[in-house]
Amino acid sequence: MLDHKPWQSLAPFVHYANRLQCLPDFAFGPRIIEEHQFIFVAAGKGTAWIQGDRYDATPGGLFYYGPDTVHHFIADEADPFLLYGLHFSWVLDQAPSRRDSGLYIREAKFDPATDTKKDNRMLVGDVHAQSPDSLLIGDVRQLPPHQFEPRFIRLAEVYSMEERAFKQPLLSGLLLELIAAIKQHEEREKASKPVSPLITALSKKLAEHAHERYNHSWLGEWSAYHPDHIARLFRSELGMTPHDYFMACKLGLAKEMLTHSELSLLAIADELGAGTIHNFTKWFKQHTGFPPGRFRKQSRFI
């Protein structure tokens, strides 16, 4: 299931940050860790695997994986990569607990034939499709090396400094700045890439049907293509799957009903096809940080 953290709930804790100039054919993994991790490729090249999916690791590549997600990196023989690694928890009270000290690292393997992939994505911010603040972080994305390497350099420098009372708050602040910078870069990239008329029309249709249960076959009915092809095209242009977009529209509709109607929570849950009020409350709180009743009360407070 797609994990989600509202911006206001983020209080990240940095466990480790370093810079590593790899030797030819240097490798780490396949392994799992207990924290979340960013790996940033500043120079050189190599190969990365995350849950059996292979990626070229080139300058500007930012790789992400969560706890117990199998990953494996190998440096190129002729041009080994320069990496920055960052181990962290998204929220302080979710910091790893099963180790006494140091980083928890264990060898592991992923067999595509028998193992089930985890949903290795983190959604930061508001999941409303129209919100400019959502950031979906997945296996890998490309960033300008000259813009982002200084941020990882600073994180590694602060981590290596002697222990002071302000060290961890400073690391947390630098990590938050990094995440916000990734979001700002994404906005600039999207602004330079217009969305095709087909995907624009499909996104409008998904929003119109947000009160129903999602149906993957809609994508084929509303276009002349196979639903899976449309789903891939949709994600490449909007940065999220049709289902995620649809659920974001549903959340926006739920917020609209809570704010501007007198419908009961049970009626809203029924209107949105959410099933029981328990399911609706759990889903709404997961994606906003607030139960629906509290959201309604705060939205009407002046």
Side-chain angles (χ1 to χ4, degrees):
M1 182 175 63
L2 175 66
D3 204 355
H4 171 245
K5 293 289 184 294
W7 285 106
Q8 64 268 25
S9 75
L10 290 186
F13 185 93
V14 175
H15 302 280
Y16 185 73
N18 73 320
R19 174 185 185 276
L20 178 64
Q21 175 58 68
C22 299
L23 296 174
D25 286 334
F26 172 85
F28 60 91
R31 69 179 195 180
I32 59 173
I33 61 173
E34 191 178 6
E35 307 82 21
H36 298 260
Q37 185 171 25
F38 282 139
I39 293 289
F40 181 71
V41 183
K45 59 185 178 180
T47 306
W49 283 268
I50 299 178
Q51 296 189 112
D53 290 334
R54 182 188 183 282
Y55 301 98
D56 291 329
T58 57
L62 178 68
F63 294 86
Y64 166 77
Y65 38 85
D68 299 324
T69 300
V70 180
H71 54 278
H72 185 196
F73 286 76
I74 301 178
D76 184 73
E77 182 177 358
D79 187 18
F81 39 37
L82 167 62
L83 302 179
Y84 289 85
L86 182 65
H87 292 246
F88 64 96
S89 298
W90 286 104
V91 182
L92 178 58
D93 62 9
Q94 294 181 352
S97 59
R98 67 177 181 237
R99 63 165 187 266
D100 297 324
S101 62
L103 295 175
Y104 174 90
I105 298 175
R106 182 166 64 85
E107 293 184 1
K109 292 184 178 181
F110 185 88
D111 186 347
T114 58
D115 295 336
T116 302
K117 289 185 179 179
K118 302 174 60 177
D119 192 342
N120 185 51
R121 296 177 298 162
M122 172 62 66
L123 184 61
V124 179
D126 189 346
V127 296
H128 192 304
Q130 304 305 318
S131 172
D133 296 329
S134 298
L135 175 64
L136 184 64
I137 301 175
D139 288 359
V140 62
R141 68 170 60 216
Q142 284 297 127
L143 300 171
H146 65 283
Q147 292 181 20
F148 282 87
E149 184 180 8
R151 295 185 180 277
F152 284 93
I153 290 175
R154 180 62 175 152
L155 279 157
E157 288 177 344
V158 172
Y159 180 80
S160 64
M161 67 186 290
E162 65 181 48
E163 289 298 325
R164 299 291 299 275
F166 58 80
K167 178 178 175 178
Q168 189 54 233
L170 179 55
L171 286 168
S172 297
L174 291 171
L175 178 51
L176 284 172
E177 285 190 5
L178 170 64
I179 297 168
I182 294 171
K183 175 57 187 173
Q184 291 173 324
H185 173 72
E186 179 182 83
E187 290 178 344
R188 290 191 293 269
E189 288 284 290
K190 286 184 178 180
S192 64
K193 297 179 180 178
V195 180
S196 68
L198 173 60
I199 299 304
T200 299
L202 286 172
S203 62
K204 183 178 179 181
K205 294 283 285 185
L206 287 170
E208 292 172 352
H209 289 258
H211 61 284
E212 303 176 32
R213 289 183 178 273
Y214 180 76
N215 187 338
H216 186 64
S217 66
W218 286 341
L219 304 179
E221 295 172 7
W222 298 338
S223 71
Y225 302 95
H226 191 280
D228 292 345
H229 172 75
I230 288 295
R232 289 190 293 270
L233 183 62
F234 193 101
R235 184 171 185 176
S236 69
E237 291 196 22
L238 295 186
M240 60 196 314
T241 66
H243 179 264
D244 288 342
Y245 182 91
F246 175 83
M247 294 306 294
C249 292
K250 187 181 289 288
L251 183 64
L253 187 56
K255 290 180 177 180
E256 183 74 16
M257 291 180 177
L258 288 167
T259 303
H260 300 294
S261 82
E262 299 300 328
L263 291 173
S264 67
L265 298 186
L266 180 59
I268 293 175
D270 184 63
E271 178 69 19
L272 295 175
T276 67
I277 191 170
H278 171 75
N279 290 339
F280 172 63
T281 299
K282 181 179 179 181
W283 169 74
F284 190 89
K285 183 177 180 181
Q286 178 186 4
H287 292 292
T288 66
F290 302 101
R294 182 179 172 188
F295 178 88
R296 166 174 272 174
K297 183 177 180 180
Q298 290 192 345
S299 67
R300 298 180 178 182
F301 179 77
I302 298 176

